[in-house]
Amino acid sequence: MAKIPLGCEPVVGSPTPSRKREYRVTNRLQEGKRPIYSIVFNFMDSRYFNTFATAGGNRVTVYQCLEGGIIGVLQSYIDEDVRNSTFNFFNSYTVILMNSYSQIWCAVYRVDQKDESFYTVSWACNIDGTPFLVAGGLNGIIRVIDTGSEKIYKSFVGHGDSINEIKTQPLKPSLVLSASKDESVRLWNIHTGICILIFAGSGGHRNEVLSVDFHPSDIYRIASCGMDNTVKIWSMKEFWTYVEKSFTWTDLPSKFPTKYVQFPSVDSELVLWEPRMKEQSPGENDLILNCCAAYKPFNEFVQGTVDILQKYPVPECDIWFIKFSYDFHLKTVAIGNREGKIYVWEVQSNPPILVAKLTHAESKSTIRLTAMSYDGSTILSCCDDGTIWRWDVVASS
């Protein structure tokens, strides 16, 4: 069968803000001097929709968004050392952060491990609903933290290099995906500690995997993207019996029959970013435009065919990774750039609408990731200079 695309031209959003929503800065925290690479709200449990976590350096920290722009620190988990992989927990309390409103106290738990630097964190749940944090980074070890008991629940070893992203299955929040520099994606059951599936091999990525995510409604489908400039769309339907088996497995996790998934369900290479060069004067070689793009496979039975549906221009976004976030209902996305600006796009419109462009005179550092609240009324950003910024929507008069 011929691989014939739909033939539609991509719709490009206008870079002029519509001002459909106005946001203002309500808080700025200096968490430390190291870059903060990850920030995420807890969408797994409606009781904790105003709770978020950050990851950067050797620290994972839990915060709460309060009224009036206040950010309260709840817990912080610090991987402090250097020599071995044993855990040392101290029943001590210390002040680690202060904001402009009040002094906040929190528990600090120290973990001994070689030079850890966390790149990613995700909220998850045990099968009984206990909220977990799942974090990973430089060492390639996944830490599962029980935020209720304030203890390390499990540690997963399997990846051969650093972990760039962890994502949780929203329909089964005890399942998580990890994307690694070792060119693989792994599916884990955090309740049993089992590595269920490994997505790698002949049809897998040919460079480190930067990002991965579950389909929001199709429980069998995931997508990954990497430094090989490709997006891979994978199906777990054929292997779902192994997923189900992982919940009832009673033997050692190492004895579980982990399966390799070597070929994606749609064999396509999708260009994620399309840079355009500005007119150059001598010595200039700057990229001035990058686009986030929305894609749709033409036909899941006709492999290799894809249409670019919409593009969302994001200026000054030409470094090797900057990631976006979206609200709970997937209506709006927010993405930062290397100049400390945030672009808020409405994605369920055609053409795309730039809802707002968020700027502040003191926000000049690269924004690695944003976090949108449940309804999009609050936007958080984490930066390379160790700061967290909070923006809240301005109520219309």
Side-chain angles (χ1 to χ4, degrees), residues 6-19:
L6 292 174
C8 62
E9 290 294 325
V11 179
V12 182
S14 169
T16 303
S18 67
R19 305 179 73 88

PDB file of all heavy atoms in Angstrom, residues 6-19:
ATOM      1  N   LEU A   6      -2.025  12.910   4.257  1.00  0.00           N
ATOM      2  CA  LEU A   6      -3.238  13.683   4.017  1.00  0.00           C
ATOM      3  C   LEU A   6      -2.978  14.873   3.106  1.00  0.00           C
ATOM      4  O   LEU A   6      -3.862  15.328   2.399  1.00  0.00           O
ATOM      5  CB  LEU A   6      -3.800  14.182   5.352  1.00  0.00           C
ATOM      6  CG  LEU A   6      -4.353  13.112   6.290  1.00  0.00           C
ATOM      7  CD1 LEU A   6      -4.739  13.744   7.610  1.00  0.00           C
ATOM      8  CD2 LEU A   6      -5.529  12.391   5.686  1.00  0.00           C
ATOM      9  N   GLY A   7      -1.760  15.386   3.153  1.00  0.00           N
ATOM     10  CA  GLY A   7      -1.410  16.478   2.259  1.00  0.00           C
ATOM     11  C   GLY A   7      -1.725  17.851   2.782  1.00  0.00           C
ATOM     12  O   GLY A   7      -1.621  18.836   2.047  1.00  0.00           O
ATOM     13  N   CYS A   8      -2.126  17.972   4.032  1.00  0.00           N
ATOM     14  CA  CYS A   8      -2.467  19.284   4.579  1.00  0.00           C
ATOM     15  C   CYS A   8      -1.205  20.041   4.957  1.00  0.00           C
ATOM     16  O   CYS A   8      -0.194  19.451   5.332  1.00  0.00           O
ATOM     17  CB  CYS A   8      -3.386  19.145   5.786  1.00  0.00           C
ATOM     18  SG  CYS A   8      -2.655  18.251   7.161  1.00  0.00           S
ATOM     19  N   GLU A   9      -1.268  21.340   4.823  1.00  0.00           N
ATOM     20  CA  GLU A   9      -0.169  22.187   5.247  1.00  0.00           C
ATOM     21  C   GLU A   9      -0.297  22.444   6.745  1.00  0.00           C
ATOM     22  O   GLU A   9      -1.409  22.630   7.254  1.00  0.00           O
ATOM     23  CB  GLU A   9      -0.183  23.509   4.494  1.00  0.00           C
ATOM     24  CG  GLU A   9       0.173  23.378   3.023  1.00  0.00           C
ATOM     25  CD  GLU A   9       1.611  22.952   2.818  1.00  0.00           C
ATOM     26  OE1 GLU A   9       2.481  23.379   3.617  1.00  0.00           O
ATOM     27  OE2 GLU A   9       1.879  22.180   1.881  1.00  0.00           O
ATOM     28  N   PRO A  10       0.808  22.469   7.491  1.00  0.00           N
ATOM     29  CA  PRO A  10       0.702  22.756   8.935  1.00  0.00           C
ATOM     30  C   PRO A  10       0.226  24.182   9.184  1.00  0.00           C
ATOM     31  O   PRO A  10       0.572  25.104   8.448  1.00  0.00           O
ATOM     32  CB  PRO A  10       2.137  22.555   9.428  1.00  0.00           C
ATOM     33  CG  PRO A  10       2.995  22.709   8.228  1.00  0.00           C
ATOM     34  CD  PRO A  10       2.189  22.209   7.073  1.00  0.00           C
ATOM     35  N   VAL A  11      -0.582  24.332  10.204  1.00  0.00           N
ATOM     36  CA  VAL A  11      -1.081  25.652  10.593  1.00  0.00           C
ATOM     37  C   VAL A  11      -0.139  26.218  11.643  1.00  0.00           C
ATOM     38  O   VAL A  11       0.094  25.593  12.679  1.00  0.00           O
ATOM     39  CB  VAL A  11      -2.515  25.559  11.150  1.00  0.00           C
ATOM     40  CG1 VAL A  11      -3.011  26.941  11.564  1.00  0.00           C
ATOM     41  CG2 VAL A  11      -3.444  24.929  10.125  1.00  0.00           C
ATOM     42  N   VAL A  12       0.420  27.384  11.399  1.00  0.00           N
ATOM     43  CA  VAL A  12       1.389  28.006  12.284  1.00  0.00           C
ATOM     44  C   VAL A  12       0.704  29.099  13.098  1.00  0.00           C
ATOM     45  O   VAL A  12       0.025  29.975  12.540  1.00  0.00           O
ATOM     46  CB  VAL A  12       2.573  28.604  11.495  1.00  0.00           C
ATOM     47  CG1 VAL A  12       3.603  29.196  12.445  1.00  0.00           C
ATOM     48  CG2 VAL A  12       3.215  27.533  10.616  1.00  0.00           C
ATOM     49  N   GLY A  13       0.867  29.044  14.414  1.00  0.00           N
ATOM     50  CA  GLY A  13       0.270  30.047  15.274  1.00  0.00           C
ATOM     51  C   GLY A  13       0.971  31.388  15.149  1.00  0.00           C
ATOM     52  O   GLY A  13       2.166  31.466  14.883  1.00  0.00           O
ATOM     53  N   SER A  14       0.225  32.447  15.381  1.00  0.00           N
ATOM     54  CA  SER A  14       0.795  33.792  15.334  1.00  0.00           C
ATOM     55  C   SER A  14       1.592  34.061  16.599  1.00  0.00           C
ATOM     56  O   SER A  14       1.143  33.733  17.703  1.00  0.00           O
ATOM     57  CB  SER A  14      -0.314  34.839  15.209  1.00  0.00           C
ATOM     58  OG  SER A  14       0.203  36.143  15.413  1.00  0.00           O
ATOM     59  N   PRO A  15       2.791  34.658  16.489  1.00  0.00           N
ATOM     60  CA  PRO A  15       3.603  34.953  17.673  1.00  0.00           C
ATOM     61  C   PRO A  15       3.119  36.178  18.452  1.00  0.00           C
ATOM     62  O   PRO A  15       3.717  36.544  19.464  1.00  0.00           O
ATOM     63  CB  PRO A  15       4.995  35.197  17.090  1.00  0.00           C
ATOM     64  CG  PRO A  15       4.741  35.696  15.707  1.00  0.00           C
ATOM     65  CD  PRO A  15       3.509  34.994  15.239  1.00  0.00           C
ATOM     66  N   THR A  16       2.035  36.797  18.011  1.00  0.00           N
ATOM     67  CA  THR A  16       1.483  37.967  18.709  1.00  0.00           C
ATOM     68  C   THR A  16       0.516  37.504  19.796  1.00  0.00           C
ATOM     69  O   THR A  16      -0.468  36.821  19.494  1.00  0.00           O
ATOM     70  CB  THR A  16       0.747  38.891  17.737  1.00  0.00           C
ATOM     71  OG1 THR A  16       1.635  39.281  16.689  1.00  0.00           O
ATOM     72  CG2 THR A  16       0.224  40.127  18.463  1.00  0.00           C
ATOM     73  N   PRO A  17       0.752  37.847  21.060  1.00  0.00           N
ATOM     74  CA  PRO A  17      -0.143  37.396  22.145  1.00  0.00           C
ATOM     75  C   PRO A  17      -1.557  37.921  21.957  1.00  0.00           C
ATOM     76  O   PRO A  17      -1.776  39.087  21.597  1.00  0.00           O
ATOM     77  CB  PRO A  17       0.496  37.971  23.409  1.00  0.00           C
ATOM     78  CG  PRO A  17       1.916  38.251  23.036  1.00  0.00           C
ATOM     79  CD  PRO A  17       1.895  38.616  21.586  1.00  0.00           C
ATOM     80  N   SER A  18      -2.536  37.056  22.204  1.00  0.00           N
ATOM     81  CA  SER A  18      -3.947  37.462  22.107  1.00  0.00           C
ATOM     82  C   SER A  18      -4.423  38.158  23.365  1.00  0.00           C
ATOM     83  O   SER A  18      -5.471  38.796  23.353  1.00  0.00           O
ATOM     84  CB  SER A  18      -4.816  36.233  21.857  1.00  0.00           C
ATOM     85  OG  SER A  18      -4.804  35.373  22.996  1.00  0.00           O
ATOM     86  N   ARG A  19      -3.667  37.980  24.461  1.00  0.00           N
ATOM     87  CA  ARG A  19      -4.016  38.542  25.772  1.00  0.00           C
ATOM     88  C   ARG A  19      -5.379  38.020  26.262  1.00  0.00           C
ATOM     89  O   ARG A  19      -6.118  38.718  26.960  1.00  0.00           O
ATOM     90  CB  ARG A  19      -4.003  40.076  25.724  1.00  0.00           C
ATOM     91  CG  ARG A  19      -2.675  40.641  25.228  1.00  0.00           C
ATOM     92  CD  ARG A  19      -2.718  42.158  25.165  1.00  0.00           C
ATOM     93  NE  ARG A  19      -2.688  42.746  26.487  1.00  0.00           N
ATOM     94  CZ  ARG A  19      -1.576  43.047  27.144  1.00  0.00           C
ATOM     95  NH1 ARG A  19      -0.398  42.795  26.593  1.00  0.00           N
ATOM     96  NH2 ARG A  19      -1.625  43.585  28.335  1.00  0.00           N
TER      97      ARG A  19
END
